[in-house]
Amino acid sequence: VSSPKLVHANENAMDPDVELLLRSCTPLFRCRNPAVVLTTISLYYHLGPSRLFETYAIKPLMRLTHLPHQGAFVAMTTTIAVAAKFPTALHPYMTEFFACEADGEPMRNLKSKILSVLASSMDAHPDGLRLSLLDELAVQVKHP
């Protein structure tokens, strides 16, 4: 009996059962229940290749960051892990993590962590974008 392989070295080749699971769960990204959406994001995070995660899970994750207080906090906590594993997928959404006046200290801290992870992965990005990110981090550090 051979052991199952979840993802081969070639990211285009996946175990057919995992592929079926991911394909079957894709409609759950549109669910109105944030817990279901977050669980589906976690499933793609752990089992899916980066191309599938970036295609299907990033927009629902960004939608969850706009939930009321506790929901947004959980989504931002998940976003820290996503930023570490798939930083380039979050680069287009960097301005979403700039702190605003309505954010409390815990949310500002999470946003700062996300921005610092994204800043460390920006080797190939234009200097203007990097400078605006560094300016935002400086503002968040000065005004916690």
Side-chain angles (χ1 to χ4, degrees), residues 8-99:
H8 298 266
N10 178 0
E11 281 202 2
N12 294 325
M14 284 194 322
D15 182 87
D17 293 332
V18 173
E19 188 175 2
L20 177 62
L21 173 66
L22 294 175
R23 194 174 7 171
S24 298
C25 291
T26 301
L28 296 175
F29 284 123
R30 294 186 301 273
C31 183
R32 294 182 68 190
N33 184 334
V36 171
V37 176
L38 193 58
T39 302
T40 308
I41 291 167
S42 296
L43 182 72
Y44 270 71
Y45 176 86
H46 291 290
L47 296 179
S50 62
R51 66 178 169 76
L52 284 181
F53 185 85
E54 292 175 14
T55 301
Y56 294 107
I58 293 296
K59 285 184 182 180
L61 179 61
M62 299 299 14
R63 187 179 75 231
L64 293 179
T65 62
H66 297 289
L67 290 173
H69 307 287
Q70 293 86 358
F73 186 84
V74 172
M76 287 293 184
T77 303
T78 302
T79 305
I80 292 172
V82 170
K85 188 172 180 180
F86 306 109
T88 57
L90 291 173
H91 285 171
Y93 301 97
M94 262 194 275
T95 58
E96 299 285 326
F97 307 115
F98 289 179

Side-chain angles (χ1 to χ4, degrees), residues 120-140:
S120 66
S121 69
M122 292 189 61
D123 293 336
H125 283 273
D127 287 333
L129 183 59
R130 178 178 278 174
L131 288 175
S132 67
L133 179 60
L134 292 174
D135 288 342
E136 176 62 22
L137 282 171
V139 167
Q140 288 187 20

